[in-house]
Amino acid sequence: MTSATNGNGRGELEGAVVAVAGAGGPAGHAVLLRLAEAGAVVVGADADAERLAQGVDAARFAHGGATVIGDTVDLLSLDETRQWAQRTEKEFGRVDGLVHLVGGWRGSATFADTDLGDWDVLERLLIRTVQHTSLAFEAPLQRRGKGRFLLVSAAGASKPTAGNAAYAASKAAAEAWTLALADSFRKQGGEAGPRAAAAILVVKALVHDAMRAERPQAKFAGFTDVRELAEAITSTWETPAEEVNGTRLWLTKKSA
């Protein structure tokens, strides 16, 4: 992990305001910690208030003085998501990032065994929440000039397997939506280049310490540690928006 401070001893995201959607899971907890370490004001949202509170408390404890707050938000409601974005910008005067970590997985043994009910669940979790957060946060991110909309996706979106049809299709749709947001940022920037960036971080799957403890013999080949993901997310602000916008950052072997 790189240093959390710049040459002046301040965090590289000192003063930035970053919202994290789906902050209650292991990846969310790692991202809250890393952003707080980098000096950002972090505003996490999750439907599970208890898991969210655990992540917020851990980030606050690890980085005394950091501003880390939790907000229970129904991201399946566009109105609630817009209110969250408006509330965040009003309270802190800016929004510099939205990290989308809302996840979920459903699969089957074979293609023929696919349950279309899985699609109904994944469409809501993996697509609808991307739609709502992007629509709610586009304008605030554009106003800041260094805004980032970051989607965590899966390699399976580019190379789906028979038993993962619903999951891969959902991830692919979420990626397409994010790239459309990137094109919006590009067009709004004109000749000067985009003022904000939308990008995709691609993993095979995520792993964290609890998983390793439960399966000590497992190798988790190609998996991305949640701390590595958090580091990659934080580093996107170090690169100019025009170089980040519309890109896929592969944190595992790139699909052919």
Side-chain angles (χ1 to χ4, degrees):
M1 181 177 291
T2 60
S3 171
T5 60
N6 58 27
N8 297 320
R10 302 177 67 192
E12 63 267 44
L13 287 178
E14 189 74 32
V17 178
V18 182
V20 181
H29 290 186
V31 171
L32 293 179
L33 278 166
R34 183 64 184 95
L35 290 173
E37 180 187 30
V41 171
V42 193
V43 185
D46 200 278
D48 189 321
E50 183 176 352
R51 293 200 314 165
L52 177 60
Q54 291 171 355
V56 168
D57 290 345
R60 286 176 178 167
F61 179 79
H63 306 293
T67 300
V68 185
I69 64 173
D71 206 343
T72 305
V73 180
D74 180 7
L75 297 174
L76 293 175
S77 165
L78 179 56
D79 286 342
E80 277 200 36
T81 309
R82 287 192 190 278
Q83 290 168 15
W84 178 44
Q86 293 164 1
R87 194 162 57 243
T88 301
E89 187 175 28
K90 181 178 180 180
E91 181 172 354
F92 298 106
R94 57 195 284 180
V95 179
D96 299 272
L98 184 288
V99 181
H100 186 279
L101 297 173
V102 181
W105 180 84
R106 296 287 183 92
S108 57
T110 68
F111 181 80
D113 289 331
T114 298
D115 182 350
L116 289 180
D118 291 347
W119 168 261
D120 294 337
V121 172
L122 295 173
E123 184 274 336
R124 289 165 61 81
L125 288 174
L126 305 183
I127 304 174
R128 190 67 65 184
T129 59
V130 173
Q131 293 171 327
H132 290 172
T133 51
S134 60
L135 290 170
F137 282 89
E138 179 196 15
L141 294 175
Q142 177 73 9
R143 281 193 281 272
R144 281 307 305 157
K146 287 190 67 176
R148 298 287 184 270
F149 182 95
L150 303 172
L151 171 73
V152 178
S153 189
S158 301
K159 195 173 183 179
T161 56
N164 276 327
Y167 177 75
S170 299
K171 283 293 190 182
E175 288 195 10
W177 188 275
T178 300
L179 294 176
L181 174 62
D183 190 52
S184 175
F185 286 148
R186 180 187 64 80
K187 289 178 176 176
Q188 291 182 68
E191 293 183 1
R195 290 171 49 81
I200 300 161
L201 295 93
V202 185
V203 302
K204 175 183 178 180
L206 294 172
V207 63
H208 51 85
D209 289 344
M211 289 174 62
R212 293 190 179 95
E214 291 172 2
R215 300 170 58 192
Q217 304 304 317
K219 296 186 181 298
F220 299 105
F223 284 39
T224 299
D225 189 278
V226 292
R227 288 165 293 203
E228 180 185 350
L229 173 66
E231 185 66 38
I233 286 169
T234 304
S235 70
T236 63
W237 277 272
E238 300 173 5
T239 305
E242 61 186 16
E243 296 179 24
V244 176
N245 193 46
T247 62
R248 289 182 175 88
L249 174 61
W250 286 80
L251 302 181
T252 188
K253 183 178 179 181
K254 187 174 183 178
S255 299

